[in-house]
Amino acid sequence: MVDRTSQKSGVTPPWGRYLSTVRILIVASISLFLACSTCEAATQQFPPIPAASASTTQAWTGQIVTFSGAGSIDPDNAPSSMTYAWDLGDGTIAAGIAPTHAYADPGAYTATVTVSDGQSASVGSVTVVVLAPPTAVRPSATSPLALRPGEAELWVANPDSDTVTILSIAAGTLVVAAEVRVGDRPRTLAFARDGSCVWVACQGSGDIWQVDAATRRAQRRVVVGGEPYGICVSPADGTVLVTRLSGDALTVLSPGMVLLADIALPRQPRAIAIAADGTCALITHYLSRGAAGLVSVVHLGTRQITAVPLADDIGPDTPSSGKGIPNLLSAAVIEPSGLTAWVGGLKSNTGRGLTRDGHALNAENRVRGICAPIRLSPLAEWAARRIDPNDADSVSAIAFSPNGRYAYLAHQGAGTVSVYDVPMASQIVLGDGSTASFEDRIAVGEAPQGVVVSGDGTRAWLSCFLSRTVVALDCADPRHPTISATTVVTAESLRADIAEGKRAFYRSSAPKHSLRNYIACASCHADGGMSDGRTWDMTSVGEGLRNTTDLRGRGGMAHGPVHWSANFDEIQDFENDIVNSFGGTGLAQDGSPPNAPIGPPNAGRSRELDALAAYVTSLSEPPRSPARAADGSLSPSALRGKTLFERADVGCTSCHAPPRFTDSTLATSFVLHDVGTLSATSGSRLGTPLTGLDTPSLIGVWD
């Protein structure tokens, strides 16, 4: 209740005096708080907030780039004006709010600015990708598909059909226009510089076919022998270069198909890349027999050869990178600037194993893909810039965007293509476990082995040789291409189960075939069953040191049990490798683990597993020996050797009896021999003592 009398008389009641006191205390407290806050604000100093930008984040070498720190903020504008100290990433130091710089060498450069207010400093950064300008004429490279000059047609080789397919690609179409029969097993093809004809290297028949591009008819064939594989045309003068796998040579032909030279090379020359000026050609050697991979550089003017070794990656093994010798080198390309070549294949980690380094083979670090750069001046591998593709198998083809920034890498076993921002990806420090990140990865089909990019970079095409398809990519955004069309280019030429088995043989795709896409049967039994040329430490699976067996000419089980120790009695036993060694869920997919080798059969458990066996059984033809004449006949010296071989007192045929050239058998007890070569590193047989080795057939032993 209000005491109105007291209010009117001006006398302050007791409760009023109390409120006044509280009011005074509150005001005093607020004043004190504000005074303290003002004092603190006057003494606290805030560091600058840095900002770094560049006039462009992609530049050519020699192009002026203007950097800026203008977006930096000093919250309290004290104690002095901001200063800017720059490190431009290539050793250049600059000062000021907006320095300019031109980079001399291509690469990815991170420029940092240190912004200081005289008392505190903060750092900002911006990355600039610097590219070397492309050459006026594109370098050339071997490929199973080729763009006709004018880019209205795409031609693709079909190895299992013995044909070449012509596709119309005008106005974004992908339509089969014709299919032309050529020689046996065409592998690569190349256009003449004027687009008038196409040359096709036919490995099986040992010849080069020339097809008229206008009439689409074969004009002539030239027998070169020695399994011609790679064919490439010099951008400078139209000279035709051909690698001969078993001939161990590079054949040089004039544009008129006149033999100019046969240049002897180390074993198994395969892919070719020719510099834009025609001065040199890089040749990969498919199998690495020694302690390093090998690329030969042929100086075409002098025909001298420089060997470029691709060193063993010493690791360490991590879930995202790993050790291994570069092997199965199937791709070679020179980037558009002409400064660097790139070679693709896989790394065979044969330095790993319980006997060799104490570490059991595993699914992530047995084999891994590799993309290796080679500087052309000075000529040497640029090992620090290798790309180790994570979660993918071998790099079977490489192509670049026209400016050289983006690389399209095909992965044969995974059936994918990866897009890499090369300057950024190659900054990864080897051996620290970092992953070279890809921009995108796209499933394209079975066994992609070739990729080409249009002159303007907006389109790309891949040949997927076991899908029998060509896939068109829309590369308007080069970082994230999309599939615009897929077209079947040839009818399936193999029996249905063999074709299915061949696809399974080449696949590394997760989850069935391997863990995270790393391992296929073709990772070791390369290119349709050949040996990878390596010795593997199989101690962890109850064996020992073992050379990879060549499957060609063996006909699956036709020559007796599988492997040196005769530890598999059916091809379906490879389900054990897929599940227990490759990390896959297996081809049986029946909910049960693999049956042990030399135990209950794995045959009959699934169509795909039996198809795999059907394909391996189809490998009944050995590679053609270069020591034989074109008609298969023996030379006089070989006939004398045959007589010696068959003499009873010489004794070769007691174990290597014709026509299988082995005494191996699938009877109840296997025939194993100890001829004095067993040692501690020979290990065991299925984890039990190794008493001898199965006699290997001599068919194909020349290779």
Side-chain angles (χ1 to χ4, degrees):
M1 184 179 66
V2 178
D3 186 342
R4 297 184 185 274
T5 305
S6 298
Q7 286 181 342
K8 287 180 180 179
S9 66
V11 178
T12 304
W15 58 266
R17 288 193 297 273
Y18 172 76
L19 287 176
S20 297
T21 302
V22 171
R23 208 176 278 120
I24 292 168
L25 289 174
I26 290 173
V27 171
S29 297
I30 292 172
S31 300
L32 179 61
F33 175 79
L34 291 174
C36 292
S37 298
T38 303
C39 179
E40 183 179 350
T43 58
Q44 183 174 351
Q45 196 276 324
F46 293 96
I49 301 172
S53 63
S55 57
T56 180
T57 56
Q58 179 177 293
W60 299 114
T61 52
Q63 178 182 341
I64 297 295
V65 179
T66 301
F67 294 92
S68 176
S72 304
I73 300 171
D74 186 356
D76 54 12
N77 295 313
S80 59
S81 299
M82 289 187 293
T83 60
Y84 306 85
W86 294 83
D87 180 342
L88 300 181
D90 64 347
T92 301
I93 303 301
I97 194 170
T100 60
H101 184 58
Y103 291 95
D105 299 310
Y109 297 94
T110 299
T112 59
V113 59
T114 302
V115 183
S116 174
D117 62 5
Q119 182 171 331
S120 301
S122 302
V123 178
S125 65
V126 60
T127 298
V128 177
V129 170
V130 179
L131 306 171
T135 55
V137 177
R138 294 171 102 179
S140 57
T142 49
S143 176
L145 71 170
L147 280 170
R148 187 177 181 183
E151 299 189 354
E153 288 182 355
L154 181 74
W155 292 48
V156 58
N158 306 311
D160 286 338
S161 299
D162 302 336
T163 63
V164 169
T165 297
I166 299 100
L167 293 157
S168 170
I169 58 172
T173 61
L174 191 60
V175 178
V176 173
E179 188 171 2
V180 180
R181 184 157 296 279
V182 290
D184 180 28
R185 209 176 172 204
R187 299 305 298 260
T188 61
L189 44 75
F191 273 95
R193 289 191 302 166
D194 62 3
S196 60
C197 66
V198 172
W199 288 288
V200 187
C202 297
Q203 181 181 0
S205 49
D207 47 25
I208 306 299
W209 286 61
Q210 186 183 52
V211 180
D212 184 274
T215 65
R216 297 167 182 168
R217 295 177 181 272
Q219 291 178 308
R220 68 175 110 172
R221 60 184 283 265
V222 176
V223 176
V224 294
E227 297 186 287
Y229 185 94
I231 192 162
C232 199
V233 173
S234 171
D237 60 8
T239 300
V240 182
L241 273 58
V242 183
T243 51
R244 296 192 286 127
L245 273 174
S246 59
D248 300 335
L250 178 70
T251 294
V252 183
L253 302 168
S254 74
M257 300 295 280
V258 175
L259 177 65
L260 299 178
D262 262 333
I263 303 172
L265 290 172
R267 293 198 64 186
Q268 291 193 314
R270 187 168 170 114
I272 311 172
I274 306 177
D277 61 5
T279 56
C280 68
L282 283 85
I283 315 293
T284 69
H285 296 275
Y286 187 55
L287 300 187
S288 302
R289 303 283 185 172
L294 179 63
V295 173
S296 291
V297 178
V298 179
H299 305 278
L300 296 174
T302 63
R303 295 175 186 166
Q304 299 298 305
I305 300 169
T306 302
V308 180
L310 305 183
D312 184 2
D313 187 336
I314 61 173
D317 286 335
T318 76
S320 59
S321 62
K323 300 186 294 184
I325 293 173
N327 199 13
L328 308 193
L329 302 178
S330 56
V333 62
I334 297 173
E335 64 182 29
S337 69
L339 299 179
T340 307
W342 290 78
V343 172
L346 59 68
K347 291 182 290 186
S348 298
N349 194 359
T350 44
R352 186 181 177 107
L354 291 180
T355 297
R356 285 184 162 156
D357 71 353
H359 298 286
L361 293 173
N362 65 14
E364 289 181 315
N365 296 111
R366 182 187 299 240
V367 292
R368 299 180 68 93
I370 185 174
C371 191
I374 296 172
R375 282 173 163 156
L376 298 185
S377 181
L379 189 57
E381 187 198 358
W382 199 358
R385 291 291 182 261
R386 282 181 180 176
I387 294 176
D388 184 331
N390 201 33
D391 297 341
D393 68 317
S394 62
V395 176
S396 51
I398 308 168
F400 278 89
S401 63
N403 64 5
R405 177 163 183 175
Y406 298 101
Y408 301 92
L409 275 55
H411 304 288
Q412 175 178 272
T416 58
V417 60
S418 298
V419 184
Y420 280 87
D421 185 337
V422 175
M424 300 297 293
S426 57
Q427 299 303 305
I428 296 299
V429 177
L430 293 178
D432 70 352
S434 299
T435 299
S437 299
F438 52 83
E439 301 299 310
D440 209 342
R441 182 166 286 168
I442 306 163
V444 290
E446 301 282 356
Q449 291 190 338
V451 55
V452 295
V453 178
S454 64
D456 63 4
T458 61
R459 296 179 293 167
W461 299 268
L462 293 106
S463 62
C464 299
F465 112 90
L466 290 180
S467 296
R468 318 305 188 193
T469 58
V470 165
V471 177
L473 297 179
D474 182 340
C475 301
D477 178 356
R479 295 176 59 215
H480 301 291
T482 57
I483 295 177
S484 58
T486 299
T487 297
V488 174
V489 295
T490 188
E492 181 56 67
S493 60
L494 302 179
R495 201 177 73 199
D497 59 338
I498 293 175
E500 182 179 6
K502 188 169 186 176
R503 291 190 291 270
F505 189 89
Y506 276 77
R507 279 190 202 123
S508 64
S509 51
K512 287 170 63 174
H513 296 266
S514 74
L515 179 70
R516 290 159 59 176
N517 307 310
Y518 285 118
I519 310 174
C521 300
S523 299
C524 295
H525 299 286
D527 201 18
M530 66 194 299
S531 167
D532 64 357
R534 308 307 306 168
T535 301
W536 292 89
D537 183 350
M538 310 298 288
T539 308
S540 59
V541 293
E543 298 291 315
L545 300 190
R546 299 285 186 268
N547 292 335
T548 303
T549 303
D550 194 326
L551 302 180
R552 298 171 299 173
R554 296 180 63 88
M557 309 302 299
H559 289 177
V562 177
H563 297 146
W564 294 92
S565 65
N567 61 4
F568 283 9
D569 61 356
E570 57 176 350
I571 297 301
Q572 288 89 338
D573 280 343
F574 280 99
E575 178 80 347
N576 285 271
D577 285 344
I578 293 169
V579 174
N580 299 325
S581 298
F582 300 174
T585 57
L587 305 188
Q589 297 288 302
D590 58 6
S592 298
N595 293 325
I598 321 294
N602 284 295
R605 294 181 58 189
S606 80
R607 188 187 72 185
E608 189 174 13
L609 190 56
D610 289 345
L612 176 65
Y615 170 65
V616 176
T617 301
S618 76
L619 301 176
S620 57
E621 290 295 321
R624 181 177 299 192
S625 171
R628 289 182 179 267
D631 62 1
S633 61
L634 295 174
S635 66
S637 61
L639 286 169
R640 291 193 297 273
K642 181 175 183 290
T643 300
L644 280 172
F645 184 89
E646 293 175 346
R647 271 174 39 184
D649 60 322
V650 176
C652 298
T653 57
S654 62
C655 293
H656 298 282
R660 297 186 307 134
F661 293 91
T662 177
D663 62 1
S664 180
T665 176
L666 278 170
T668 26
S669 73
F670 299 141
V671 179
L672 302 180
H673 301 277
D674 180 0
V675 294
T677 58
L678 298 183
S679 68
T681 57
S682 300
S684 308
R685 177 180 183 267
L686 292 171
T688 62
L690 178 67
T691 59
L693 298 175
D694 184 61
T695 304
S697 171
L698 298 185
I699 292 176
V701 72
W702 69 267
D703 198 29

